[in-house]
Amino acid sequence: MTPEHFKDGEADIWIGEALPLLAQTVSAAERSGRKVLFCSDSRIWPQVLPLLQAQGVCRRADDLAVCFEPGEVHKQIAQVTRGWEALARAGADRRGIVVNVGGGVVGDMGGFMAATYKRGIPFIQVPTSLLAMVDASVGGKTGVDVGEVKNMAGVFARPEAVFIDPRFLRTLPVEEFESGVAEILKMQLLFQPDFRPEAAEGLFDAGRLPLDAIVTAVRDKRDVVARDFAEAGPRRLLNFGHTFGHAFESLCMAKGQAVPHGRAVAWGMVYELYLSVMQCGFDAALFRQTRDMLTAHYGRPDYGAADLQALAGYLRQDKKNAAGAVRPVVLSAPGRGDYDFSMPFAAAMEILEHGDAVYSF
């Protein structure tokens, strides 16, 4: 079956059994004299190499030019510096092309590395996790963390193409699969007025995840990005769950208890939906149903009074903040989000200080 195909700006996006098309793209680039440089991490590459070889994408394990250390904790500029050095050793020039194979960390760092090497060389995203398929690989955001602060440094740079092949999901642990489901749920809450938690439960069956769920999430993100590539307006909707979620994720990293990005986003969605009930008229019964579904799969953030100062610091670093105000995304109903909402910093901290109320409401 021919993969789904559409555009994100000038970038081609293929969804389905896309690896044969990737193999053709790599072969055509090499025949034209372009150097193709694969980038992955030391955990993912051995897992996905057999599938890449079977589909004719690459031939040998040592085709890997750039190998990052795995995990969000290593999403730092030092890794990118080593990547630049590896590209230079491999003789990469501005006609070269970097093929990033991995999850969101590889895509973010590899994209940033390519977009800044010799002031920018083309790159391709090949996401291997569900989270990267429906979020990080599309939209042209690249970057690294600074310490525990998420994505503090980066650039907007669209890839040359994105190849999304769900066969990679067979190599994914359950926790990582559910991390991606959280981003699909985020997109459904943002763009599907008929969202119902009981219907969304079917997304958690890894063996029966409909391809349409991936296609719809990617199309919805593509459509928002097309209207606002540099995140000056409507694209900020896509940060739903991330204001509080990034603070929780950063705290976990700082405590040496890193969690998958999607789990932290799920926690953030619960807090931001609670705020939506309090401030924007979101239906309280639907909030409770959605909260209970998310909590059943992702638990709840574990923090106490001693962690509030650290959470305050991470919340202050959120990129959306303006004039001392925190700017989470809120919903008045599914499909009706507000990216211009703002609240005093003290009010946001009050919600964190009384987190039990979020779960007992």
Side-chain angles (χ1 to χ4, degrees), residues 62-136:
D62 59 7
D63 283 341
L64 188 65
V66 178
C67 185
F68 294 133
E69 291 298 312
E72 186 76 31
V73 69
H74 292 115
K75 189 179 165 184
Q76 303 286 333
I77 195 65
Q79 293 267 11
V80 176
T81 299
R82 286 194 285 272
W84 290 326
E85 293 167 349
L87 293 179
R89 285 195 301 271
D93 58 26
R94 294 182 74 177
R95 291 189 68 243
I97 184 165
V98 173
V99 180
N100 297 312
V101 182
V105 172
V106 169
D108 281 359
M109 282 202 298
F112 181 69
M113 174 189 69
T116 50
Y117 178 77
K118 297 192 174 181
R119 295 193 175 92
I121 66 173
F123 62 98
I124 287 172
Q125 301 289 45
V126 186
T128 61
S129 71
L130 182 58
L131 180 67
M133 290 176 185
V134 300
D135 183 41

Side-chain angles (χ1 to χ4, degrees), residues 43-281:
R43 177 177 59 85
I44 292 171
W45 185 249
Q47 295 175 6
V48 302
L49 182 61
L51 181 57
L52 295 174
Q53 289 175 315
Q55 297 297 315
V57 174
C58 62
R59 293 173 292 278
R60 302 174 303 276
D62 59 7
D63 283 341
L64 188 65
V66 178
C67 185
F68 294 133
E69 291 298 312
E72 186 76 31
V73 69
H74 292 115
K75 189 179 165 184
Q76 303 286 333
I77 195 65
Q79 293 267 11
V80 176
T81 299
R82 286 194 285 272
W84 290 326
E85 293 167 349
L87 293 179
R89 285 195 301 271
D93 58 26
R94 294 182 74 177
R95 291 189 68 243
I97 184 165
V98 173
V99 180
N100 297 312
V101 182
V105 172
V106 169
D108 281 359
M109 282 202 298
F112 181 69
M113 174 189 69
T116 50
Y117 178 77
K118 297 192 174 181
R119 295 193 175 92
I121 66 173
F123 62 98
I124 287 172
Q125 301 289 45
V126 186
T128 61
S129 71
L130 182 58
L131 180 67
M133 290 176 185
V134 300
D135 183 41
S137 66
V138 179
K141 280 187 177 181
T142 73
V144 294
D145 303 339
V146 176
E148 292 89 29
V149 180
K150 294 273 294 179
N151 301 319
M152 183 179 281
V155 297
F156 289 99
R158 277 194 174 96
E160 194 167 279
V162 181
F163 294 88
I164 298 173
D165 195 317
R167 286 177 290 184
F168 283 120
L169 300 181
R170 299 170 189 167
T171 68
L172 212 58
V174 172
E175 187 174 47
E176 291 295 334
F177 175 80
E178 293 197 344
S179 181
V181 171
E183 285 286 348
I184 295 178
L185 291 170
K186 179 197 81 174
M187 297 300 288
Q188 291 187 351
L189 278 159
L190 285 172
F191 299 109
Q192 295 186 12
D194 60 350
F195 173 84
R196 289 294 177 269
E198 59 271 20
E201 276 287 350
L203 296 172
F204 289 94
D205 185 345
R208 302 177 67 181
L209 178 74
L211 184 64
D212 282 353
I214 298 175
V215 171
T216 300
V218 173
R219 280 190 186 276
D220 285 342
K221 179 168 185 179
R222 185 279 311 267
D223 291 347
V224 173
V225 170
R227 290 161 32 217
D228 179 27
F229 180 62
E231 202 173 31
R235 184 172 180 168
R236 297 207 305 268
L237 278 174
L238 301 177
N239 290 307
F240 174 54
H242 287 63
T243 297
F244 286 93
H246 273 170
F248 293 138
E249 188 175 4
S250 295
L251 177 68
C252 290
M253 279 196 292
K255 295 170 76 171
Q257 301 166 356
V259 297
H261 175 69
R263 181 189 293 185
V265 169
W267 296 341
M269 285 193 288
V270 170
Y271 277 69
E272 290 168 35
L273 283 176
Y274 174 77
L275 178 61
S276 299
V277 174
M278 297 293 104
Q279 298 289 331
C280 304

